[in-house]
PDB file of all heavy atoms in Angstrom:
ATOM      1  N   MET A 284      -9.861 -54.317 -24.078  1.00  0.00           N
ATOM      2  CA  MET A 284     -10.084 -55.183 -22.931  1.00  0.00           C
ATOM      3  C   MET A 284     -10.166 -54.425 -21.616  1.00  0.00           C
ATOM      4  O   MET A 284     -10.542 -54.945 -20.578  1.00  0.00           O
ATOM      5  CB  MET A 284      -8.905 -56.193 -22.805  1.00  0.00           C
ATOM      6  CG  MET A 284      -8.849 -57.210 -23.975  1.00  0.00           C
ATOM      7  SD  MET A 284      -7.507 -58.340 -23.794  1.00  0.00           S
ATOM      8  CE  MET A 284      -7.979 -59.270 -22.331  1.00  0.00           C
ATOM      9  N   LEU A 336      -4.112  -8.793 -65.011  1.00  0.00           N
ATOM     10  CA  LEU A 336      -3.613  -9.517 -63.897  1.00  0.00           C
ATOM     11  C   LEU A 336      -3.373 -11.016 -64.178  1.00  0.00           C
ATOM     12  O   LEU A 336      -3.167 -11.783 -63.294  1.00  0.00           O
ATOM     13  CB  LEU A 336      -4.572  -9.369 -62.707  1.00  0.00           C
ATOM     14  CG  LEU A 336      -4.793  -7.931 -62.180  1.00  0.00           C
ATOM     15  CD1 LEU A 336      -5.739  -7.943 -61.001  1.00  0.00           C
ATOM     16  CD2 LEU A 336      -3.530  -7.236 -61.829  1.00  0.00           C
ATOM     17  N   PHE A 343      -0.718 -16.889 -58.532  1.00  0.00           N
ATOM     18  CA  PHE A 343      -0.448 -17.385 -57.135  1.00  0.00           C
ATOM     19  C   PHE A 343      -1.207 -16.604 -56.140  1.00  0.00           C
ATOM     20  O   PHE A 343      -1.643 -17.184 -55.108  1.00  0.00           O
ATOM     21  CB  PHE A 343       1.079 -17.349 -56.881  1.00  0.00           C
ATOM     22  CG  PHE A 343       1.901 -18.219 -57.758  1.00  0.00           C
ATOM     23  CD1 PHE A 343       2.998 -17.711 -58.487  1.00  0.00           C
ATOM     24  CD2 PHE A 343       1.558 -19.573 -57.951  1.00  0.00           C
ATOM     25  CE1 PHE A 343       3.734 -18.574 -59.263  1.00  0.00           C
ATOM     26  CE2 PHE A 343       2.330 -20.416 -58.732  1.00  0.00           C
ATOM     27  CZ  PHE A 343       3.428 -19.900 -59.429  1.00  0.00           C
ATOM     28  N   ASP A 351      -7.375 -18.444 -48.389  1.00  0.00           N
ATOM     29  CA  ASP A 351      -7.881 -17.592 -47.308  1.00  0.00           C
ATOM     30  C   ASP A 351      -9.375 -17.608 -47.169  1.00  0.00           C
ATOM     31  O   ASP A 351      -9.940 -17.101 -46.207  1.00  0.00           O
ATOM     32  CB  ASP A 351      -7.383 -16.152 -47.506  1.00  0.00           C
ATOM     33  CG  ASP A 351      -5.929 -15.934 -47.075  1.00  0.00           C
ATOM     34  OD1 ASP A 351      -5.424 -16.721 -46.256  1.00  0.00           O
ATOM     35  OD2 ASP A 351      -5.288 -15.074 -47.628  1.00  0.00           O
ATOM     36  N   ILE A 352     -10.054 -18.188 -48.138  1.00  0.00           N
ATOM     37  CA  ILE A 352     -11.466 -18.473 -48.034  1.00  0.00           C
ATOM     38  C   ILE A 352     -11.759 -19.755 -47.272  1.00  0.00           C
ATOM     39  O   ILE A 352     -12.573 -19.852 -46.384  1.00  0.00           O
ATOM     40  CB  ILE A 352     -12.166 -18.485 -49.389  1.00  0.00           C
ATOM     41  CG1 ILE A 352     -12.167 -17.085 -50.050  1.00  0.00           C
ATOM     42  CG2 ILE A 352     -13.616 -19.014 -49.314  1.00  0.00           C
ATOM     43  CD1 ILE A 352     -12.582 -17.097 -51.506  1.00  0.00           C
ATOM     44  N   TYR A 375     -16.151 -37.418 -33.186  1.00  0.00           N
ATOM     45  CA  TYR A 375     -14.818 -37.870 -33.406  1.00  0.00           C
ATOM     46  C   TYR A 375     -14.348 -37.624 -34.818  1.00  0.00           C
ATOM     47  O   TYR A 375     -13.247 -37.192 -35.002  1.00  0.00           O
ATOM     48  CB  TYR A 375     -14.775 -39.382 -33.057  1.00  0.00           C
ATOM     49  CG  TYR A 375     -13.451 -40.026 -33.165  1.00  0.00           C
ATOM     50  CD1 TYR A 375     -12.572 -40.090 -32.013  1.00  0.00           C
ATOM     51  CD2 TYR A 375     -12.947 -40.621 -34.329  1.00  0.00           C
ATOM     52  CE1 TYR A 375     -11.309 -40.665 -32.123  1.00  0.00           C
ATOM     53  CE2 TYR A 375     -11.740 -41.162 -34.443  1.00  0.00           C
ATOM     54  CZ  TYR A 375     -10.885 -41.209 -33.322  1.00  0.00           C
ATOM     55  OH  TYR A 375      -9.648 -41.830 -33.421  1.00  0.00           O
ATOM     56  N   THR A 423       1.149 -23.909 -63.194  1.00  0.00           N
ATOM     57  CA  THR A 423       0.097 -24.902 -62.875  1.00  0.00           C
ATOM     58  C   THR A 423       0.668 -26.054 -62.066  1.00  0.00           C
ATOM     59  O   THR A 423       0.142 -26.503 -61.100  1.00  0.00           O
ATOM     60  CB  THR A 423      -0.564 -25.392 -64.153  1.00  0.00           C
ATOM     61  OG1 THR A 423      -1.123 -24.351 -64.885  1.00  0.00           O
ATOM     62  CG2 THR A 423      -1.711 -26.360 -63.841  1.00  0.00           C
ATOM     63  N   VAL A 555      -6.480 -17.866 -33.044  1.00  0.00           N
ATOM     64  CA  VAL A 555      -7.558 -16.999 -33.545  1.00  0.00           C
ATOM     65  C   VAL A 555      -6.990 -16.012 -34.574  1.00  0.00           C
ATOM     66  O   VAL A 555      -7.638 -15.788 -35.607  1.00  0.00           O
ATOM     67  CB  VAL A 555      -8.262 -16.328 -32.399  1.00  0.00           C
ATOM     68  CG1 VAL A 555      -9.209 -15.226 -32.935  1.00  0.00           C
ATOM     69  CG2 VAL A 555      -9.068 -17.319 -31.595  1.00  0.00           C
ATOM     70  N   VAL A 578      -5.943  -0.652 -59.125  1.00  0.00           N
ATOM     71  CA  VAL A 578      -6.583  -0.182 -60.385  1.00  0.00           C
ATOM     72  C   VAL A 578      -7.564  -1.144 -60.885  1.00  0.00           C
ATOM     73  O   VAL A 578      -8.719  -0.767 -61.250  1.00  0.00           O
ATOM     74  CB  VAL A 578      -5.481   0.056 -61.451  1.00  0.00           C
ATOM     75  CG1 VAL A 578      -6.098   0.370 -62.840  1.00  0.00           C
ATOM     76  CG2 VAL A 578      -4.566   1.183 -61.106  1.00  0.00           C
TER      77      VAL A 578
END
Side-chain angles (χ1 to χ4, degrees):
M284 294 181 65
L336 300 183
F343 296 128
D351 282 334
I352 292 172
Y375 182 91
T423 303
V555 166
V578 171

